[in-house]
Amino acid sequence: MSAGPATTSYLDRYEAAVMNTFGRPKLVLERGEGIRVWDVDGREYVDFLGGIAVNTLGHAHPALVAAVTDQLATLGHVSNFFTTRPQVELAERLLTVMTPPEVDARVFFCNSGAEANEAALKITRRTGRTHIVAMEDAFHGRTFGSLSLTSKAAYREPFEPLPGEVTWVPYGDVDAVAAAVTEATAAVVIEPLQGEAGVNVASAEFLTAVRTVTTERGALLWFDEVQSGMGRTGHWLASHPSGVVPDIVTLAKGLAGGVPIGACLGLGAAAALLQPGQHGTTFGGNPVACAAALAVIDTIETDGLIERAVLAGGRLRAGIAQDDRVVEVRGEGVLVGLTLEGVEAPRVVAAAQDAGWIINATGPDRIRFAPPLIVSDTDIDELVQAWPGILDAAVAMAAESAS
Ligand SMILES: *Cc1c(COP(=O)(O)O)cnc(C)c1O
């Protein structure tokens, strides 16, 4: 489907004014409500990507709008010479829902996932060790520190040399972790559920075994839950069902439902490794962002959105798996990945967009869904109904371009 006139005009202006790090955007979006968004030509889309697992409450949720507007009208920014009620309350709430009550823990606030991982990486350096063990297919962000842990060579190589000595091991391979972690290892970093890789879920056995190895060798265990945290997988943290208590947890994407924020949680001794003057941020812990996150946590609790994520995810996975061209479906809650056979994932994304659905390809044959936690059964059933037609259209598109 060809782009509308306003879309084409804005995209041309975008290309002339915005640095080309993302390629030409797929759409120019103007407004949203619930899980729907509209582009500048008035076309409607159902958003099953949720800003990449960010729009926890969908678009323009009244609770989030009210929290942000009220806080901005009250006190918008103060610097970290000062603190605010929302900042203190958010730190307490995060510790309450995410860390065990018997563990002493602290929060560092920042503005993004990469920054949360930078803070974590600085914590790991305070162990006096520098070696990090990370997972193959891991994604931890694009700053120098977080990039040094990201496994994809194409992301790293243009910017080498990067900090750190990093060993990557296959995701889920206990023996490989045991062989890689030594007395010189500062930390093992794991996404309990890998998002950018196309949704891979670590087993509880794997997380438990890594906890044992890291404890034995005196290394920190760091869970990057930037994408998997905040209820999306049916738990506040994707690692919760394993019962494994890490030393560090990083959060960002869904935390404030679209308002930029990041958080690094230190548990036990790791909570006190950063000392005054060793790290900082101007915007981190900003009261507007913290008020937004509090509204997200409140709404998740009052509306039962964690339970909802489980039911919605189960319905979505079962529905899309019915097509034979879907050969594997992975994920927990509303973070869902699938592998296709005989259909190219990027064409499926294009065909879906033509049909009014926003989804995402994480690889040539992998599709990811990360809809808002408020996604309804009707939304899911409509997508499931449209799904075979979307795959047919993707196949037709490929045939057309080949001829
Ligand atoms: C998105 C993501 C990041 C990076 O977050 P940014 O906010 O883009 O810096 C880090 N880790 C994981 C697991 C992510 O999914």
Side-chain angles (χ1 to χ4, degrees):
M1 194 196 290
S2 60
T7 297
T8 302
S9 157
Y10 272 103
L11 288 181
D12 291 345
R13 287 166 60 186
Y14 174 99
E15 288 189 325
V18 179
M19 216 179 267
N20 185 21
T21 58
F22 301 102
R24 193 171 163 99
K26 294 180 187 303
L27 291 169
V28 184
L29 295 173
E30 180 142 68
R31 73 187 173 88
E33 197 184 316
I35 84 153
R36 286 174 167 70
V37 289
W38 287 266
D39 72 11
V40 284
D41 288 297
R43 288 181 188 162
E44 181 181 317
Y45 303 87
V46 188
D47 184 5
F48 268 75
L49 181 57
I52 316 184
V54 166
N55 298 99
T56 310
L57 306 181
H59 301 276
H61 192 286
L64 186 55
V65 173
V68 168
T69 338
D70 291 352
Q71 186 57 46
L72 191 57
T74 307
L75 188 65
H77 177 80
V78 296
S79 92
N80 281 302
F81 287 118
F82 313 101
T83 189
T84 59
R85 276 181 217 255
Q87 189 185 70
V88 175
E89 284 172 14
L90 178 59
E92 290 172 349
R93 286 293 285 286
L94 286 177
L95 297 181
T96 302
V97 299
M98 294 187 178
T99 67
E102 69 280 7
V103 177
D104 194 30
R106 299 285 187 279
V107 183
F108 176 82
F109 287 118
C110 51
N111 311 289
S112 67
E115 271 183 84
N117 287 338
E118 291 293 325
L121 197 55
K122 285 178 84 171
I123 291 174
T124 71
R125 286 287 170 103
R126 299 299 303 149
T127 61
R129 303 177 179 185
T130 53
H131 176 238
I132 305 274
V133 174
M135 301 297 124
E136 284 173 10
D137 295 324
F139 182 81
H140 298 294
R142 305 293 203 122
T143 56
F144 271 90
S146 60
L147 185 59
S148 73
L149 309 168
T150 292
S151 78
K152 198 169 177 177
Y155 289 173
R156 276 185 293 115
E157 277 165 2
F159 304 102
E160 289 175 343
L162 292 166
E165 312 143 52
V166 182
T167 306
W168 284 277
V169 298
Y171 192 66
D173 187 334
V174 178
D175 295 338
V177 176
V181 178
T182 71
E183 309 275 312
T185 303
V188 176
V189 55
I190 301 177
E191 295 159 86
L193 190 155
Q194 290 185 324
E196 296 308 297
V199 186
N200 300 323
V201 186
S203 69
E205 295 71 38
F206 177 61
L207 299 180
T208 305
V210 177
R211 176 70 284 182
T212 305
V213 170
T214 47
T215 304
E216 268 170 22
R217 319 251 155 105
L220 299 173
L221 177 56
W222 160 11
F223 288 158
D224 178 344
E225 297 240 20
V226 165
Q227 184 159 164
S228 57
M230 286 306 286
R232 173 163 293 282
T233 66
H235 303 272
W236 283 109
L237 295 177
S239 53
H240 271 170
S242 72
V244 173
V245 180
D247 302 290
I248 302 174
V249 177
T250 47
L251 297 167
K253 287 194 168 87
L255 178 50
V259 176
I261 192 170
C264 175
L265 279 52
L267 289 79
L273 284 173
L274 285 179
Q275 291 294 306
Q278 290 182 336
H279 199 37
T281 161
T282 297
F283 290 117
N286 167 283
V288 176
C290 290
L294 282 167
V296 170
I297 294 173
D298 282 342
T299 308
I300 288 175
E301 284 182 343
T302 53
D303 292 0
L305 294 182
I306 292 189
E307 298 73 21
R308 181 64 213 140
V310 175
L311 295 175
R315 196 177 186 98
L316 178 60
R317 284 196 297 276
I320 50 179
Q322 287 169 35
D323 195 290
D324 290 345
R325 292 164 285 190
V326 174
V327 291
E328 191 191 23
V329 182
R330 299 169 300 273
E332 297 288 343
V334 283
L335 192 46
V336 175
L338 61 79
T339 303
L340 294 164
E341 209 171 75
V343 203
E344 298 160 52
R347 292 197 196 276
V348 172
V349 172
Q353 185 179 304
D354 285 351
W357 304 90
I358 296 178
I359 58 173
N360 163 249
T362 53
D365 60 355
R366 289 189 157 202
I367 295 285
R368 168 177 51 182
F369 303 88
L373 274 57
I374 58 164
V375 63
S376 73
D377 285 351
T378 310
D379 298 325
I380 292 168
D381 294 348
E382 282 172 9
L383 175 63
V384 167
Q385 205 172 15
W387 184 236
I390 291 170
L391 297 185
D392 291 345
V395 171
M397 237 183 240
E400 206 170 291
S401 84
S403 68

